[in-house]
Amino acid sequence: MATHPITQAIRIQIDRTPEMEHSAPLFLTSSFCFDNAEDMRAAFADETDDNIYSRFSNPNVQELVDKICALEGAEAGYATASGMSAVFGSFMALLKQGDHLLSCEAVFGSTHAVISKYLPKYGIDYSYLPATATEEAWRAAIRPNTKMIYLETPTNPGLEILDVEMISRVAHEKGVIVNVDNCFATPILQQPIALGADLVVHSATKWLDGQGRVLGGVIVGKKELIKEIYLFCRSTGPALSPFNAWILSKSIETLEVRMERHSASALHIAQQLENHPAIASLRYPFLASHPQVAIAQKQMTSGGGILCFDLKGGLEAGKKFLNQLQMLSLTANLGDTRSIASHPASTTHAKLSEAERQAVNITPGLIRISVGLEKVDDILADILQALAAVD
Ligand SMILES: *Cc1c(COP(=O)(O)O)cnc(C)c1O
């Protein structure tokens, strides 16, 4: 029976055990048994896909991977202990000394550290383009040794939008792998593989769990690339815990309804705040005022749960705004049922220089809001009363 990917992601499940359970059981086991030496030999020789050891594979982890593959339209995948181990594994399995990685300067902070601080230690070169780079600029930036283009869209926290279809087309002219961090959009709002990407990485910690409980990461994409990533990860050990996989797999069953609500509430809040006197500028991918709204509307079905705005009062106003909030949480996460406010200039990006912050659009007064599932009027009321205090 041909069913919609979202239906598949809800119904995909580990084979039922003789207990006839409805919800998937939790396979908390480090290793798996064999009936005899011959079966064990065959499993180790990759002649069967029997589970051997939970660093390699585990039923709960595979169930999660199968669901993400269905949603992303991917051939294969591997799940990791965090989003960063997914990003790192996808680099280290496929890049070698002498290769060049091309990326956009607006990437997640830890990803920036991996690219600019650690990859060069292994002889892997990198360069960055601005998020607004043209097709010509992307083409010109590809070097003979460029092996991978790595993108994040929408970017964290600046909400820049990159054209996945255009960049993939340019990359494939030169045989370059395209790897997209789809954390902010989730496969509900954007499917990079359908737009031409070869690999998709996720921090499952964010919207995929959506309830702020566990860390996790997933890499999905072309079978031959995932095979390399699997072999690298099975030896180096960033495996996802079966317990976290069990949590995340259940979360996927509600992903579509959650993302629809997060997006609708975020759009409403963005519209209500756009002309607020305390706000110098506001960004949300689906607002007409977003500089890349046309690309956002081409590749996403809605704008997602994050919006950001720049307070006229700068750094001090940013801190004051956080202190005035009564309901929104001050916490270093996003993509939760509970709304979260953060002020990158005084927290996550405080160690960067002013110039480095400017390069990724992090102004002193930038506030990022992760819109939760509370009633939208309550979220808006808390933001408005905090804004009134800084005005
Ligand atoms: C949080 C995040 C990551 C890293 O994920 P972890 O699960 O925290 O390791 C990577 N990319 C983006 C866009 C993120 O927001």
Side-chain angles (χ1 to χ4, degrees), residues 60-125:
N60 294 112
V61 175
Q62 192 58 45
E63 182 186 278
L64 171 68
V65 168
D66 290 345
K67 289 182 176 193
I68 304 294
C69 285
L71 290 176
E72 292 283 8
E75 294 171 1
Y78 185 80
T80 58
S82 67
M84 283 321 301
S85 49
V87 171
F88 186 66
S90 73
F91 290 166
M92 295 314 276
L94 300 171
L95 302 175
K96 63 176 189 313
Q97 186 178 23
D99 285 344
H100 170 250
L101 173 82
L102 176 59
S103 187
C104 166
E105 63 196 356
V107 285
F108 181 64
S110 297
T111 304
H112 170 66
V114 169
I115 292 175
S116 63
K117 193 168 157 195
Y118 295 108
L119 292 188
K121 275 178 60 170
Y122 302 99
I124 300 161
D125 201 5

Side-chain angles (χ1 to χ4, degrees), residues 82-84 108 152 156 181 183-184 203 205-206 216:
S82 67
M84 283 321 301
F108 181 64
E152 193 180 300
N156 180 6
D181 181 336
C183 174
F184 266 36
S203 168
T205 317
K206 312 293 170 54

Side-chain angles (χ1 to χ4, degrees), residues 89-289:
S90 73
F91 290 166
M92 295 314 276
L94 300 171
L95 302 175
K96 63 176 189 313
Q97 186 178 23
D99 285 344
H100 170 250
L101 173 82
L102 176 59
S103 187
C104 166
E105 63 196 356
V107 285
F108 181 64
S110 297
T111 304
H112 170 66
V114 169
I115 292 175
S116 63
K117 193 168 157 195
Y118 295 108
L119 292 188
K121 275 178 60 170
Y122 302 99
I124 300 161
D125 201 5
Y126 75 94
S127 59
Y128 286 137
L129 283 175
T132 51
T134 61
E135 178 166 343
E136 280 322 303
W138 280 99
R139 194 170 278 117
I142 296 177
R143 304 176 187 173
N145 61 339
T146 304
K147 184 81 185 285
M148 181 185 285
I149 292 181
Y150 181 82
L151 310 173
E152 193 180 300
T153 182
T155 64
N156 180 6
L159 297 176
E160 305 275 2
I161 306 290
L162 286 93
D163 188 333
V164 179
E165 183 278 322
M166 177 273 281
I167 296 168
S168 300
R169 183 161 36 77
V170 170
H172 292 156
E173 288 168 5
K174 309 257 174 80
V176 173
I177 297 165
V178 177
N179 186 359
V180 177
D181 181 336
N182 200 25
C183 174
F184 266 36
T186 82
I188 302 300
L189 310 185
Q190 167 176 283
Q191 289 143 348
I193 290 171
L195 298 165
D198 304 290
L199 288 173
V200 172
V201 294
H202 276 285
S203 168
T205 317
K206 312 293 170 54
W207 303 105
L208 297 189
D209 175 41
Q211 289 148 88
R213 299 170 295 183
V214 297
L215 270 76
V218 189
I219 316 164
V220 300
K222 291 225 166 79
K223 219 178 195 150
E224 66 272 16
L225 299 176
I226 294 297
K227 176 116 197 266
E228 292 299 313
I229 292 165
Y230 163 72
L231 292 173
F232 175 81
C233 290
R234 128 177 192 164
S235 292
T236 54
L240 179 64
S241 128
F243 178 77
N244 287 7
W246 179 81
I247 297 267
L248 289 166
S249 184
K250 270 288 167 207
S251 305
I252 299 306
E253 296 175 20
T254 57
L255 185 61
E256 185 195 31
V257 288
R258 287 188 285 109
M259 290 314 295
E260 283 174 352
R261 173 71 173 268
H262 286 297
S263 288
S265 293
L267 176 63
H268 176 72
I269 292 169
Q271 287 166 338
Q272 298 303 308
L273 295 182
E274 199 175 13
N275 300 312
H276 192 283
I279 292 177
S281 65
L282 180 145
R283 243 181 210 209
Y284 183 71
F286 267 45
L287 279 189
S289 58

